[in-house]
Amino acid sequence: MKPAPARPPAARSAEAAARRPRAWRRALPWALFVASLVATGVLVAQRDEDVALLRALDPGATVALVLLQGVYLVLQSGRFHVVLRKVTAQPVGFWPWLQLFVLGRFLNLFVPQGGNVYRGVVLKRQFAVPYTRFVTAFLNAPWIAMVGNFVIGAVVVVLARPEVSVWGWPLGLLFALAALATALSPLLAVLLLPLFPRRLWLLAWAHDRAAELLAVTLASLRDGRYLWQVSAWTLAAFAQAVLMLWVCFLALDVPVGLVEAVAFYVLLQLATYVTLTPGNLGVQELAFASLALSLGAGAVDGVMVSGLLRVTGVVALLAVALPLGGMQALRASRART
């Protein structure tokens, strides 16, 4: 058997050059990381009033709130991870998803929905998750969180202080009605959207997603392990967030009880998932001020709590996202090398 003819040096050098990673591919992760640092500086400069609010607080309370916000990020990521694995049926690990979740939240600070697009692209490339399945998980996770928080809130209010009312309505009843309306929303969407012309692609897309969400939800009701995991993450996030709200009021010398902290947390969740302005800036403050007045506190207390939650949430997000972004850039650079 004759040996294969030797390839000319020019061909060998061309193949080696093709296999060698281009300089821009090695530099891109680090460029993105540096850009995130610059954007962080801009963000801090723009939120000078929020930073001034932090300076006025006791350092111990500030550190406690930032740590609680960091833990809350992990709990939110854990609940989303359970839903993601159930909906997509792909082995997405907890740690890779935590990195992706946090970096997505970080990108959303600068580009509206940019972090969600980033998550979908990375999940598609690294874990073969179809875009439609990610969108279904993206809709399913907050829907489950809202239903769970309304139910838990109703139970806590009824057991602790059933006489508490907001805007003239019993708070426990409001939470129960909100839980029922949220739980039925996918079914109502499936029933009502076909009444509109299907030639409108956005309505057709919304109907398909609602139908898929409803099918996945009904199928998940037969999976006891999945229901237990989602319930455990939701309950843990609820308890931790209520503690965070209580510490927030305490840091501002505003005395509140368990029911008030629960009410503010449920409203915060609603403001997180139903966005009317970028970051619900202004809308959340008005909602918190109105709720504070209804519960017998001052409107300024609600506004201060909203601002404190914003700034400590951003600080915690930056503290977690920047190291993760740096490690991801380093890992990507080494992998390409």
Side-chain angles (χ1 to χ4, degrees):
M1 189 174 184
K2 293 182 179 180
R7 286 173 296 174
R12 291 197 300 269
S13 61
E15 281 191 12
R19 288 194 302 266
R20 189 181 307 122
R22 295 181 182 179
W24 70 268
R25 289 184 178 180
R26 292 196 303 268
L28 181 60
W30 290 106
L32 293 175
F33 180 52
V34 172
S36 69
L37 290 175
V38 174
T40 299
V42 173
L43 184 67
V44 172
Q46 290 178 343
R47 300 192 177 211
D48 185 63
E49 293 182 1
D50 291 338
V51 176
L53 177 61
L54 274 187
R55 297 194 197 103
L57 291 180
D58 177 76
T62 302
V63 172
L65 281 171
V66 171
L67 290 176
L68 288 171
Q69 291 275 19
V71 173
Y72 186 54
L73 273 175
V74 176
L75 294 175
Q76 284 184 308
S77 172
R79 179 175 55 205
F80 203 142
H81 178 251
V82 174
V83 176
L84 182 70
R85 292 198 55 160
K86 177 65 177 180
V87 173
T88 64
Q90 296 294 332
V92 182
F94 181 85
W95 175 248
W97 168 248
L98 176 61
Q99 290 181 292
L100 195 56
F101 179 82
V102 172
L103 291 176
R105 286 282 298 271
F106 177 76
L107 292 175
N108 280 338
L109 290 175
F110 308 104
V111 182
Q113 301 302 323
N116 300 323
V117 174
Y118 170 75
R119 291 170 185 166
V121 172
V122 174
L123 286 172
K124 173 70 172 178
R125 291 181 177 178
Q126 294 187 2
F127 300 99
V129 174
Y131 292 124
T132 55
R133 281 288 173 170
F134 170 69
V135 171
T136 301
F138 178 74
L139 296 174
N140 194 285
W143 176 78
I144 287 177
M146 289 176 65
V147 173
N149 286 322
F150 282 136
V151 170
I152 297 172
V155 172
V156 170
V157 171
V158 169
L159 293 179
R161 289 172 58 193
E163 74 280 1
V164 174
S165 62
V166 174
W167 306 301
W169 288 77
L171 183 58
L173 177 61
L174 287 177
F175 283 165
L177 293 176
L180 181 62
T182 306
L184 294 177
S185 58
L187 177 60
L188 293 176
V190 171
L191 294 176
L192 295 179
L193 285 175
L195 301 179
F196 296 91
R198 293 282 293 183
R199 63 178 178 273
L200 300 176
W201 71 269
L202 185 58
L203 292 178
W205 180 89
H207 178 266
D208 292 340
R209 299 288 72 75
E212 191 173 14
L213 173 61
L214 183 60
V216 169
T217 302
L218 293 177
S220 66
L221 294 177
R222 298 190 294 268
D223 189 343
R225 183 171 181 269
Y226 169 74
L227 292 177
W228 180 86
Q229 289 178 331
V230 169
S231 301
W233 281 106
T234 301
L235 184 59
F238 187 94
Q240 193 271 343
V242 169
L243 173 63
M244 180 173 65
L245 262 297
W246 183 78
V247 173
C248 189
F249 277 103
L250 192 64
L252 296 172
D253 292 327
V254 179
V256 296
L258 173 63
V259 171
E260 289 80 7
V262 167
F264 272 93
Y265 170 61
V266 174
L267 183 60
L268 176 65
Q269 283 288 283
L270 189 61
T272 300
Y273 296 128
V274 181
T275 305
L276 301 179
T277 64
N280 265 341
L281 191 61
V283 176
Q284 178 177 306
E285 280 68 25
L286 287 175
F288 270 48
S290 177
L291 180 59
L293 283 174
S294 182
L295 292 173
V300 67
D301 296 330
V303 175
M304 291 285 285
V305 167
S306 178
L308 187 54
L309 286 174
R310 283 188 186 279
V311 67
T312 54
V314 170
V315 171
L317 185 58
L318 297 179
V320 177
L322 289 178
L324 290 180
M327 287 189 293
Q328 190 176 63
L330 179 61
R331 186 166 54 253
S333 179
R334 287 178 175 175
R336 292 193 178 98
T337 303

